[in-house]
Amino acid sequence: MRNPLLDTNFEACTKCTICTEYCPVSEANPAFAGPKQSGPDGERQRLRDASFYNETLKHCTNCKRCEVACPSDVRIGDVIALAREKHAKRSFSPRDAILSHTDFTGSLCSSLAPAVNFVCGLKPARYFMEKFLGIPAWRTFPKYSWQTFRSRWFNGAPPQDEYDETVSFFHGCFANYNNPSLGIDSVRLLNALGAGVRLLEEERCCGVPLMASGFFDDAKKNALANKAEIERALEKTDKVLCASSTCVMTVRDEYPDVLGVDNAAWRDKFDLLTRHAYRLLERGKTPRFKPLEITVAYHTACHMEKLGWSAYSIELLKLVPGLKIILLPSQCCGIAGTYGFKRENSETAQKIGEGLFSDIRDSKAELVVSECETCKMQIEMSAGVPCENPVTVLARALAG
Amino acid sequence: MRFDAVVIGGGLAGHAAAISLSEAGKSCVLISAGQSAMHFSSGSMDFLHTLPDGSPVLFPEKSLDALTAAAPAHPYSVAGKERTLAMALRAEKAFARWGLRTEGSLAAGNHLRLSPMGKFIPTWLSFEDSVTVPVKDGKAVFPWKKVAILSVRDFLDFSPEIAASGPRALGAETVIVFFTLPALETLRANPSEFRSINIARILDKPEHKPRLAEAVREAAKGVDAVFMPAVLCLNRENLLDELKTRARKPVKLISTMTPSLLGARLARKLSRIFLKNGGVLMPKDEVLGFEARETADGVEIANVRTRNHGDIAISGKDYVLATGSFFGRGLVSDRNGAREAVFDLDLAEPPGPRENWSSPDFFAPQPSSTFGVRVDASFGTYMKGKPVKNLKAAGLVIGGFDPVREGCGAGVSLVSALAAADAIAKGE
Amino acid sequence: MNNEKLFLGARKRVRETDAIIIGGGATGAGLARDLSRRGFECVLFERGDLATGATGRNHGRRHRGARYAVTDQVSAEECVKENSILRKIARHCVEETDGLFITLPEDDLEYQKNFIVACRAAGISAEALDPEFAKRLEPSANQTLIGAVKVPDGVVDPFRLTVANMLDAVSHGALCHTYCEVTGILVENAVATGVRVRDNLSREEYEVRAKVVINASGIWGGRVGAMAGVEVKMFPTRGSLLILGHRLNRLVINRCRKPADADILVPGDTVCLIGTTSIPIKFEEIDTTVSDREEVDILIREGALLCPEIETARKIRCYCGSRPLIADENDKTGRSTSRHIVLLDHETRDGLKGFVTISGGKLITYRLMAEMTTDLVCRKLGKNVPCDTHSVPLPGSHEPPDKILRKIAPLPPTIKAAIVHRHGDMATDIAAEGASATSLVCECELVSAAEVEHAVDTLAVRNMTDLRRRVRVGMGPCQGELCMSRAVGILADKGVCPPSGCPGELASFLVERWKGIHPLTWGETLRESEFIMWLYQGVCGIGPSDLEPGRVPGEAPGEAASTETPPGAPPG
């Protein structure tokens, strides 16, 4: 496999400037040099001399909307991420370490969940977090769960061996530490579609928050560990499924394109849960849904836009009787993983999301549906409307 | 995934076809490889402004016979005069129905739009809010004696001086005025991002309206009209109406260099209309393979496979190929040849050896501009000499015409897209 | 350093001067510098812009002569010496890259041995590398290499070098008249007494008298010689070069074998170049010759042997020109060319007093050529002033980049780096405040509006193409698509052309850029060119009627067909 640092895909850029029109960061933060100048333009300069590196590249949220817009297939977000890996000045920040090492932070916080959730809600603690860690005091912090999804699973999951097929499930950090019910819902939905579920022996964070904070080495370590586990899982099952759009995009695309971890042998087998669910439907599996008389607004998370798979989730949701689905115009919510949690970005993050928040409020929807966990946090905090993964909505609608 | 119609390509032709099909009650998916050339177009749609021999066209309707005689392989010639004109009329009506506020019609003949370089260029349909000039007895009639050009200070993608040379050449007096806002100054400090669309994202905000209106009102004093570079009204089209009311003079936009707001706005609107009609958009996807079966009288596409959807094939009863020319990657080329990218369809003319693709004279006809697929009168396509029963072509992927020199790119796109959709809807 | 703001001067006309220089290449500009520094009055006439001939049309390789080590010891030694001088006096024009001479499986490793010996004999340090190490050192090099030699090497920017010499000359009283074509040499009683000049911008004609007339017109030297009635025999050879979209390589990569077609890949600025071919052409063709398909194929095929990525890399431009090879004076048959500097004193050679021709040599030896010629002028005019051009830095090269960077106001880091790269210590003359300082015109090459304004104000920019040579506007992958409209707006604001003349300026620039794009219209280059046509012909409405009939504005009539003329440094 080719070294991503030697990739010259940026050369396909025709300088058409279309990417700049779709960058949510340029709209909100006039300091950002924009995708074209930071990506393909800057890369030519940086290849000549590292002194052409511009620190404003750190404003990129890697939302990939520039890549979706680009008519020349330039992987602009990757070019920027790789340039940051190569050139950015590194200084250790405890805040970035806490935010990005989700495995460590998660297992620590989960074991002390009630205390952590309590303390994180206290004013002095929030003051401390703002002052010393640079996490804005007003920002809602994710609640940690006392019992992780994994520990619940191993303490009495329903039997999974009576199904026609078995799939592996990559739960991701958020489902494990913060939202175990998403893990449980995933299993229920898959079971209803005739698939038994097994977990990976071990699972690490996909690495996306690490990359965002510049911990590329740690991200690569996680990627290699996950690769080994995924390969092991694929000896027993045909698919490894994940309900989080960001984890899926990272494992499928960022592993080879940014981290240089070869996944060619199994990339297609690592799949978004709703996409595989759709596949099972096409194979004739018909889960029974009970009516759900609510209006939901579907939000296309940035990485869903990049994957291009919203259609699967929407098709599945259409099966639920009574469910009214509003399609929100596809735009960024601003949180971009851990980006919005950092004080220096938080204003930009909120500005980016303004359009989406008002669209959500205007839609009068009772619930927002999105495959992305950090969009969920941002939307719930900023638009004041609950947000769930489509898997959760579908599981809730399952009859019986 | 199954649909009635699969449209490949998300430019003007692809969107026009997809919207028409969805209006005809077809379930429709649009597979788009990225945003399209609409984003740097003028926002006006041309039908035909020059014949292949270089003679100018004032009334396209009247010139179609001459075009057919000179260029029998031109899509208008292949479709025939009757169908071409019927589809053009249908496009005019569709634009009105879709809420795209345009002026101009084939019946009225070409009008002129003002280019950012101060040129008046013959065209067919222009947005109401852009600067256009009628033609009378073969001459441009500039309707105002004195106009102000109100531009944003230090904005490099539009030179009011150069644009003003157009009205000046037609005898009008011009005044140039600049304005700025604190928020614009903040953006301007960014070396690369002081672009038309980014400016519009600021100017469209309600909080800036009072100062903007004041600047327009000031500029309007003592002149008959105010022209502005197209750096506003991306998402708020009624903003211009409000400014007009305030200034009590016409306020019009001139397209800027890339990115072009008038073109980008068209792209966004078309996309919204398609989604509103229940269409399924597959953004940033690309057809990598297809299955076809031979029938007694030709070939039939069974399904296509895309980069994003992999093993889950996308199938339709009918397909429209609107992938564009080389820029849109509907046609691909290397040192040894050029071909249609998705289905390797038959081309209107074989490209021949590479050294003949372009002329050393920049302004001479460039043969590569006319490359594209062979079509029949209802824009059906051919594969290895056999007709492909359920695949139509639309837009610049079609061969036999030069969109730039002949000034017919938008016209061919709309005529072919609507003809393709019409043929599919009628089951032709 | 000189705190005065340097500029290339107004078109001040004089009736007489000490010396007239015909030709605004590196040699002519170097000559103007040397003459003026030694106290002579001089006027330089160039029919187009500076560095439009061989000077601007080579691969800018600042070889230390390693390439000639085996075949031409004299040239190699000259190169070694001049190279070390250039490093001192022109540091903002040169970049130390080092070079790699690679041996491929199909080459003879014996050549490598001879090569190392010959290099060392010429005073060039040459170090044989372990092939594995060489592959890691230069990952873009053909990884099947079986041998590699590392030599000190570098690249020179010919435009910057010529302009810097001219700036220094003008600050010492020389006059720089670009777009002034010498149409005749005034000869009275076997003495060249001056020239007849046509101002190609105003179309006026006038005469200027001088004590010495120096023919430094490169490949056009034969034509200029003929005006004075003397024969200067030139052998024009077309050489084509291909520019790739970005720097594929860090080191100059050469084939370690007898010099042949397309065997050097040179990184320079943001791009790299593969060159060259060598095809003899007729003298009448020097202004119109163009690269053909076969040459493009050779450049790609042979280039890919040096660096396989060339096959797939973005090609942005292919251009050609005629090398100014001059007949070897020692060969009485007149059939062989000289590889060396040829200084002809026509007084001793042809009995024509006051007329001198300087030719041959290489870009890298331009200074030595100027020194030799000025020494001759000194002898002729009875002046004994020593040359100092080898020790005094050129404008822009007085201070090292890090020191200059610290002096520049807080500009964005990328713009700062770009102007210091291009202008050295003269970067401090570019406005660092105001909107233009932080507004990019050319986003590919990071050229700000302030830099464009500076060039227009001080560097004798008469049109878009001159601007390109001064600041690289339009030399990136989009070949001006994004920036030419912005730059032309500034030219109009600055009064270089009237607003109504801007479409004409753009039309000329499009025609000029197209010459280098046209041979490469496939793949990404074809996509880009389609985009340019849509934008400028379609959206803007620029058309052939915008070109003045038969003439590209700002350029000599004869040159209209080919501004991209001959490559200099003959590859041997």
Side-chain angles (χ1 to χ4, degrees):
Chain A
M1 204 191 75
R2 191 154 169 71
N3 177 353
L5 288 171
L6 297 178
D7 193 357
T8 57
N9 152 278
F10 68 88
E11 282 210 315
C13 175
T14 57
K15 315 299 167 194
C16 74
T17 69
I18 285 176
C19 57
T20 69
E21 291 181 43
Y22 291 89
C23 174
V25 182
S26 326
E27 180 168 12
N29 183 355
F32 179 48
K36 171 178 174 288
Q37 183 68 194
S38 304
D41 288 356
E43 193 58 18
R44 288 180 70 242
Q45 303 289 342
R46 296 186 288 262
L47 281 171
R48 141 159 79 148
D49 188 328
S51 69
F52 284 89
Y53 179 72
N54 188 339
E55 287 293 336
T56 68
L57 261 64
K58 69 175 180 234
H59 298 304
C60 170
T61 64
N62 201 19
C63 73
K64 304 218 174 270
R65 288 190 183 263
C66 50
E67 295 187 11
V68 174
C70 177
S72 305
D73 263 350
V74 178
R75 290 190 296 275
I76 307 163
D78 290 354
V79 171
I80 295 174
L82 287 164
R84 290 176 60 194
E85 177 186 0
K86 205 165 152 190
H87 301 286
K89 280 189 215 120
R90 280 209 199 130
S91 57
F92 180 76
S93 142
R95 188 259 334 257
D96 290 357
I98 290 171
L99 285 177
S100 59
H101 290 75
T102 49
D103 290 326
F104 174 77
T105 313
S107 50
L108 189 74
C109 292
S110 281
S111 59
L112 306 164
V116 169
N117 294 338
F118 176 70
V119 171
C120 283
L122 290 177
K123 272 197 176 159
R126 296 318 308 255
Y127 176 79
F128 171 84
M129 282 163 76
E130 164 118 33
K131 191 89 183 154
F132 297 101
L133 295 178
I135 298 168
W138 46 263
R139 169 80 56 200
T140 311
F141 223 61
K143 295 269 187 294
Y144 283 91
S145 180
W146 175 245
Q147 249 197 328
T148 63
F149 170 67
R150 282 190 92 82
S151 62
R152 280 212 215 171
W153 176 266
F154 291 112
N155 289 321
Q160 295 293 321
D161 40 18
E162 56 207 43
Y163 296 96
D164 305 345
E165 73 162 316
T166 308
V167 294
S168 297
F169 178 54
F170 185 99
H171 47 66
C173 302
F174 189 77
N176 194 32
Y177 301 114
N178 306 93
N179 191 9
S181 62
L182 173 58
I184 292 157
D185 292 337
S186 300
V187 177
R188 282 190 61 211
L189 179 64
L190 285 166
N191 289 172
L193 285 158
V197 174
R198 40 178 299 140
L199 299 196
L200 272 59
E201 302 278 320
E202 201 199 327
E203 190 184 297
R204 298 228 193 137
C205 165
C206 66
V208 85
L210 293 166
M211 286 188 267
S213 290
F215 297 99
F216 285 93
D217 293 343
D218 291 350
K220 186 161 182 177
K221 271 185 218 153
N222 282 13
L224 287 169
N226 282 335
K227 175 183 161 149
E229 284 302 326
I230 291 165
E231 282 168 358
R232 190 127 60 109
L234 287 171
E235 286 168 13
K236 301 202 177 76
T237 61
D238 291 337
K239 289 273 174 193
V240 178
L241 304 178
C242 176
S244 156
S245 50
T246 295
C247 300
V248 172
M249 194 278 300
T250 306
V251 173
R252 287 172 58 99
D253 298 338
E254 308 283 86
Y255 278 14
D257 294 344
V258 178
L259 296 175
V261 172
D262 189 357
N263 65 3
W266 49 264
R267 180 178 178 270
D268 289 340
K269 295 176 179 170
F270 192 91
D271 216 337
L272 185 72
L273 198 152
T274 48
R275 180 167 185 248
H276 191 64
Y278 181 88
R279 211 180 263 125
L280 294 173
L281 278 182
E282 282 211 324
R283 284 183 206 157
K285 305 284 180 189
T286 43
R288 285 193 306 123
F289 289 112
K290 62 187 180 205
L292 212 53
E293 302 285 344
I294 55 167
T295 302
V296 298
Y298 181 84
H299 160 61
T300 310
C302 294
H303 293 162
M304 272 309 277
E305 180 86 355
K306 177 78 203 319
L307 289 167
W309 292 345
S310 300
Y312 299 115
S313 300
I314 295 164
E315 288 303 306
L316 286 165
L317 290 169
K318 281 184 188 164
L319 298 176
V320 178
L323 195 70
K324 193 172 166 238
I325 308 160
I326 296 165
L327 203 59
L328 295 167
S330 178
Q331 54 188 319
C332 180
C333 75
I335 189 79
T338 55
Y339 180 90
F341 281 95
K342 300 174 183 173
R343 183 174 49 203
E344 65 274 22
N345 301 331
S346 56
E347 199 192 320
T348 303
Q350 293 313 104
K351 261 198 191 160
I352 291 174
E354 271 169 15
L356 176 67
F357 308 147
S358 71
D359 282 350
I360 291 173
R361 287 188 215 107
D362 294 350
S363 75
K364 305 267 188 288
E366 294 144 84
L367 181 73
V368 180
V369 181
S370 177
E371 291 83 351
C372 173
E373 53 276 352
T374 53
C375 291
K376 168 185 161 76
M377 290 187 242
Q378 173 79 335
I379 288 167
E380 291 182 341
M381 185 193 89
S382 309
V385 179
C387 177
E388 295 296 349
N389 193 295
V391 169
T392 298
V393 178
L394 292 165
R396 208 187 286 168
L398 282 174
Chain B
M1 272 182 276
R2 276 171 291 276
F3 300 89
D4 292 331
V6 176
V7 178
I8 308 166
L12 178 61
H15 271 97
I19 296 171
S20 299
L21 286 162
S22 63
E23 282 180 339
K26 303 277 177 187
S27 72
C28 186
V29 63
L30 181 63
I31 303 171
S32 169
Q35 295 295 350
S36 73
M38 271 188 279
H39 289 73
F40 46 80
S41 70
S42 66
S44 282
M45 272 135 291
D46 48 12
F47 187 84
L48 182 68
H49 71 43
T50 306
L51 289 174
D53 67 1
S55 53
V57 173
L58 290 176
F59 287 93
E61 277 179 313
K62 293 183 191 159
S63 296
L64 281 180
D65 290 331
L67 178 73
T68 305
H74 194 289
Y76 292 160
S77 313
V78 175
K81 187 173 169 180
E82 198 182 327
R83 191 188 298 247
T84 299
L85 293 176
M87 290 305 140
L89 193 62
R90 188 175 285 201
E92 289 173 6
K93 285 183 181 155
F95 269 41
R97 190 168 64 243
W98 299 340
L100 302 164
R101 292 157 59 186
T102 57
E103 56 185 23
S105 66
L106 278 194
N110 280 335
H111 62 273
L112 307 173
R113 68 172 164 90
L114 179 58
S115 93
M117 290 301 152
K119 297 258 170 181
F120 286 102
I121 300 163
T123 190
W124 167 36
L125 296 168
S126 294
F127 282 110
E128 267 173 23
D129 53 6
S130 60
V131 176
T132 57
V133 165
V135 184
K136 254 191 204 139
D137 305 326
K139 285 216 168 75
V141 185
F142 195 73
W144 304 285
K145 277 194 184 124
K146 189 172 178 183
V147 293
I149 300 187
L150 174 63
S151 190
V152 174
R153 189 188 296 156
D154 301 317
F155 173 52
L156 294 176
D157 285 326
F158 176 79
S159 163
E161 282 287 350
I162 301 176
S165 61
R168 270 182 218 146
L170 294 184
E173 208 181 317
T174 57
V175 217
I176 288 162
V177 196
F178 294 97
F179 83 102
T180 188
L181 294 171
L184 290 179
E185 286 301 303
T186 310
L187 179 63
R188 218 256 349 113
N190 187 316
S192 59
E193 302 311 290
F194 203 49
R195 306 182 196 273
S196 61
I197 301 281
N198 289 341
I199 293 172
R201 286 159 151 187
I202 291 173
L203 291 182
D204 281 357
K205 285 190 180 150
E207 66 249 42
H208 299 307
K209 204 180 85 185
R211 294 194 58 176
L212 181 62
E214 183 53 30
V216 173
R217 210 172 56 83
E218 276 296 312
K221 281 183 186 162
V223 299
D224 306 316
V226 178
F227 296 171
M228 293 181 75
V231 293
L232 63 165
C233 307
L234 176 64
N235 297 312
R236 281 181 71 202
E237 228 178 317
N238 56 358
L239 177 60
L240 212 61
D241 297 331
E242 295 167 33
L243 296 175
K244 211 181 296 177
T245 314
R246 217 57 93 73
R248 299 207 193 103
K249 303 270 168 64
V251 183
K252 302 262 179 184
L253 303 177
I254 308 171
S255 63
T256 66
M257 300 307 288
T258 174
S260 164
L261 182 140
L262 297 170
R265 192 177 68 185
L266 173 65
R268 284 163 200 237
K269 283 190 165 188
L270 291 176
S271 173
R272 251 174 266 149
I273 295 162
F274 174 63
L275 292 174
K276 220 174 131 204
N277 286 355
V280 175
L281 177 67
M282 293 190 166
K284 198 59 187 179
D285 206 358
E286 190 186 355
V287 176
L288 298 179
F290 66 96
E291 278 176 60
R293 44 182 171 257
E294 301 242 353
T295 62
D297 48 357
V299 183
E300 208 171 76
I301 305 296
N303 62 48
V304 294
R305 287 185 192 270
T306 73
R307 184 165 60 184
N308 288 345
H309 295 284
D311 61 307
I312 301 177
I314 296 170
S315 61
K317 293 187 196 99
D318 288 284
Y319 297 79
V320 178
L321 183 73
T323 42
S325 53
F326 291 103
F327 183 87
R329 294 184 164 169
L331 305 175
V332 288
S333 65
D334 59 22
R335 265 197 294 160
N336 305 312
R339 61 180 181 81
E340 187 278 308
V342 177
F343 301 101
D344 200 7
L345 295 175
D346 295 353
L347 300 183
E349 285 288 333
R354 184 183 92 215
E355 56 269 36
N356 298 341
W357 295 0
S358 66
S359 158
D361 175 2
F362 179 76
F363 290 112
Q366 301 294 340
S368 63
S369 302
T370 66
F371 290 178
V373 302
R374 173 188 165 204
V375 288
D376 64 21
S378 58
F379 295 93
T381 58
Y382 298 86
M383 197 183 279
K384 296 195 179 71
K386 289 181 186 159
V388 189
K389 312 297 287 176
N390 61 345
L391 174 61
K392 312 276 181 205
L396 266 57
V397 74
I398 300 171
F401 70 108
D402 186 330
V404 173
R405 289 188 82 249
E406 293 160 4
C408 63
V412 169
S413 293
L414 290 170
V415 165
S416 55
L418 298 187
D422 185 56
I424 291 170
K426 286 183 182 151
E428 270 178 27
Chain C
M1 72 166 275
N2 192 346
N3 283 325
E4 246 176 84
K5 199 164 165 173
L6 296 167
F7 73 113
L8 282 183
R11 295 163 80 82
K12 188 180 134 199
R13 274 185 208 164
V14 290
R15 285 162 169 274
E16 57 178 89
T17 184
D18 290 336
I20 284 169
I21 303 157
I22 306 170
T27 308
L31 199 43
R33 179 186 193 222
D34 204 341
L35 285 165
S36 61
R37 291 190 74 91
R38 291 203 229 178
F40 293 103
E41 285 182 2
C42 61
V43 184
L44 180 144
F45 291 111
E46 162 57 50
R47 68 173 196 175
D49 185 30
L50 294 174
T52 43
T55 298
R57 303 293 124 216
N58 59 68
H59 41 59
R61 185 153 166 273
R62 202 182 112 244
H63 38 64
R64 303 212 167 177
R67 189 175 167 81
Y68 308 113
V70 175
T71 51
D72 185 354
Q73 197 78 24
V74 181
S75 287
E77 281 169 18
E78 279 170 2
C79 289
V80 172
K81 188 162 162 252
E82 285 304 308
N83 185 69
S84 69
I85 292 173
L86 225 51
R87 211 172 158 184
K88 280 188 298 203
I89 67 157
R91 62 177 142 198
H92 81 288
C93 308
V94 301
E95 188 188 345
E96 306 289 332
T97 58
D98 286 341
L100 212 55
F101 281 76
I102 63 170
T103 305
L104 296 179
E106 57 265 46
D107 301 332
D108 184 4
L109 261 176
E110 273 304 300
Y111 193 88
Q112 178 173 315
K113 280 186 202 155
N114 300 338
F115 176 74
I116 294 171
V117 172
C119 278
R120 289 182 181 157
I124 301 163
S125 69
E127 180 196 350
L129 302 180
D130 168 54
E132 290 310 311
F133 177 76
K135 289 179 205 171
R136 282 198 302 277
L137 182 71
E138 184 48 70
S140 72
N142 189 336
Q143 298 288 300
T144 68
L145 62 87
I146 54 167
V149 181
K150 191 178 158 202
V151 296
D153 208 340
V155 287
V156 60
D157 185 301
F159 302 115
R160 250 167 254 170
L161 184 68
T162 308
V163 167
N165 273 282
M166 207 60 233
L167 282 168
D168 195 38
V170 171
S171 77
H172 286 85
L175 293 174
C176 170
H177 285 200
T178 52
Y179 296 101
C180 284
E181 185 165 3
V182 169
T183 54
I185 311 277
L186 308 175
V187 179
E188 290 162 30
N189 305 323
V191 182
T193 58
V195 297
R196 232 191 126 57
V197 181
R198 181 181 60 227
D199 184 324
N200 280 334
L201 299 179
S202 68
R203 304 270 144 182
E204 289 170 85
E205 299 212 13
Y206 58 97
E207 288 179 0
V208 183
R209 308 257 155 194
K211 292 170 188 149
V212 187
V213 175
I214 305 161
N215 172 14
S217 55
I219 189 65
W220 294 274
R223 207 179 277 170
V224 171
M227 290 180 196
V230 296
E231 194 198 19
V232 176
K233 200 162 182 196
M234 306 296 301
F235 293 92
T237 315
R238 182 170 80 213
S240 290
L241 295 123
L242 181 66
I243 307 184
L244 300 144
H246 73 283
R247 276 193 177 202
L248 301 170
N249 52 332
R250 291 189 300 117
L251 283 71
V252 175
I253 308 177
N254 308 256
R255 275 290 273 286
C256 196
R257 64 170 188 199
K258 213 165 151 262
D261 279 350
D263 60 356
I264 321 170
L265 179 67
V266 184
D269 261 295
T270 46
V271 296
C272 62
L273 294 91
I274 178 84
T276 58
T277 56
S278 185
I279 295 167
I281 54 167
K282 290 194 193 102
F283 194 80
E284 305 78 64
E285 294 172 345
I286 57 173
D287 285 337
T288 53
T289 188
V290 287
S291 313
D292 58 27
R293 174 188 168 140
E294 201 184 333
E295 279 174 289
V296 171
D297 286 339
I298 289 172
L299 287 167
I300 296 172
R301 191 185 64 227
E302 292 296 313
L305 289 171
L306 292 176
C307 164
E309 215 184 316
I310 286 177
E311 183 65 53
T312 52
R314 173 87 173 260
K315 284 110 195 143
I316 58 179
R317 205 161 175 75
C318 179
Y319 61 86
C320 70
S322 319
R323 279 183 202 87
L325 295 181
I326 187 163
D328 187 347
E329 289 286 309
N330 300 322
D331 176 17
K332 295 293 171 222
T333 67
R335 289 200 182 162
S336 58
T337 60
S338 171
R339 296 169 180 280
H340 307 129
I341 298 170
V342 174
L343 174 62
L344 302 179
D345 180 352
H346 294 284
E347 182 176 351
T348 53
R349 182 181 181 256
D350 306 296
L352 176 67
K353 277 181 80 169
F355 192 63
V356 173
T357 293
I358 176 74
S359 194
K362 301 173 180 63
L363 176 63
I364 195 82
T365 58
Y366 87 94
R367 194 210 60 83
L368 180 60
M369 293 161 76
E371 181 180 339
M372 288 161 61
T373 313
T374 309
D375 286 348
L376 178 63
V377 172
C378 278
R379 286 198 297 279
K380 281 181 176 292
L381 302 186
K383 204 165 187 171
N384 188 14
V385 185
C387 174
D388 68 357
T389 58
H390 58 281
S391 58
V392 179
L394 284 162
S397 286
H398 292 274
E399 288 181 284
D402 53 325
K403 219 170 156 188
I404 311 162
L405 280 170
R406 280 199 297 275
K407 279 192 184 175
I408 301 180
L411 285 171
T414 48
I415 292 182
K416 217 166 161 171
I419 58 175
V420 172
H421 264 79
R422 275 192 287 271
H423 302 273
D425 53 44
M426 291 184 291
T428 53
D429 294 343
I430 297 170
E433 276 161 12
S436 61
T438 56
S439 297
L440 285 177
V441 171
C442 175
E443 296 178 19
C444 298
E445 298 294 319
L446 296 171
V447 185
S448 70
E451 190 180 348
V452 170
E453 287 164 0
H454 166 79
V456 171
D457 287 342
T458 64
L459 300 178
V461 168
R462 315 273 179 221
N463 56 43
M464 290 286 296
T465 307
D466 295 0
L467 185 66
R468 170 179 72 79
R469 288 185 203 100
R470 300 295 183 279
V471 296
R472 289 187 67 78
V473 155
M475 284 173 113
C478 76
Q479 291 288 288
E481 168 267 306
L482 189 91
C483 63
M484 69 175 107
S485 59
R486 297 174 175 176
V488 85
I490 298 177
L491 293 194
D493 289 345
K494 285 268 167 192
V496 176
C497 64
S500 58
C502 288
E505 269 302 323
L506 289 174
S508 308
F509 194 67
L510 286 162
V511 164
E512 187 273 336
R513 290 284 83 186
W514 183 248
K515 278 178 217 152
I517 299 170
H518 151 70
L520 304 171
T521 41
W522 74 85
E524 293 300 325
T525 316
L526 177 55
R527 287 187 72 222
E528 185 80 62
S529 67
E530 198 173 73
F531 180 28
I532 290 180
M533 286 180 186
W534 289 351
L535 205 55
Y536 284 90
Q537 289 182 271
V539 176
C540 295
I542 308 292
S545 62
D546 292 312
L547 292 168
E548 284 178 57
R551 179 174 165 260
V552 179
E555 281 175 3
E559 214 179 356
S562 165
T563 47
E564 300 223 306
T565 10

